[in-house]
């Protein structure tokens, strides 16, 4: 599974690398599968879970950045590149879930 395509009547298609999709499926409590669905009734819970995971990661990244800043003041001044966060990768899906919640429709995925 190289790419996963998320679809909903509430938004356009979203293409996501399988590695990122696996992490999102784990957060949503969904088994990794070639096809799946988050029903309209399940969308609010899925949205809440994904938002909570993004917020948790933000807090962790903030703490790590503060620690790195303190180390930079004492160290050699080299700058470490920042990785792309879950929030950045999940943003399109979060928007899709929000739109699906408003329109009361589900979200499907497939490869």
């Amino acid at each position: 599974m190289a790419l996963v395509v998320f679809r909903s009547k509430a938004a356009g298609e979203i293409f996501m690398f399988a590695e990122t999709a696996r992490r999102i499926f784990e957060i949503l409590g969904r088994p990794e599968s070639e096809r799946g669905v988050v029903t309209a009734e399940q969308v609010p819970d899925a949205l809440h879970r994904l938002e909570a995971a993004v917020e948790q990661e933000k807090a962790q990244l903030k703490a790590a950045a503060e620690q790195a800043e303190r180390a930079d003041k004492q160290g050699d001044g080299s700058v470490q590149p920042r990785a792309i966060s879950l929030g950045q990768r999940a943003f399109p899906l979060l928007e899709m879930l929000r739109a699906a919640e408003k329109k009361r429709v589900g979200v499907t995925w497939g490869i």
Side-chain angles (χ1 to χ4, degrees):
M1 180 167 40
L3 285 176
V4 176
V5 183
F6 291 89
R7 295 179 176 91
S8 175
K9 291 180 181 179
E13 293 181 336
I14 297 171
F15 293 83
M16 188 177 291
F17 286 111
E19 180 180 318
T20 304
R22 279 186 201 103
R23 185 166 179 208
I24 288 175
F25 293 149
E26 183 179 301
I27 291 165
L28 299 180
R30 300 288 179 154
E32 182 183 337
S33 61
E34 290 186 10
R35 298 184 189 280
V37 65
V38 177
T39 65
E41 294 79 23
Q42 296 168 331
V43 165
D45 180 59
L47 180 58
H48 173 75
R49 287 174 180 242
L50 193 51
E51 286 174 334
V54 167
E55 289 303 316
Q56 180 181 10
E57 184 192 57
K58 276 185 188 178
Q60 291 170 348
L61 290 174
K62 183 179 179 184
E66 289 170 355
Q67 183 179 7
E69 187 177 318
R70 286 191 298 273
D72 282 348
K73 290 179 182 176
Q74 299 171 352
D76 62 4
S78 64
V79 178
Q80 297 293 324
R82 289 189 344 183
I84 297 173
S85 70
L86 172 65
Q88 291 167 314
R89 293 187 191 277
F91 181 79
L93 184 58
L94 282 167
E95 290 297 302
M96 178 182 276
L97 288 168
R98 289 179 184 125
E101 182 178 41
K102 284 181 185 175
K103 292 189 176 186
R104 298 178 189 209
V105 296
V107 173
T108 63
W109 70 85
I111 57 169

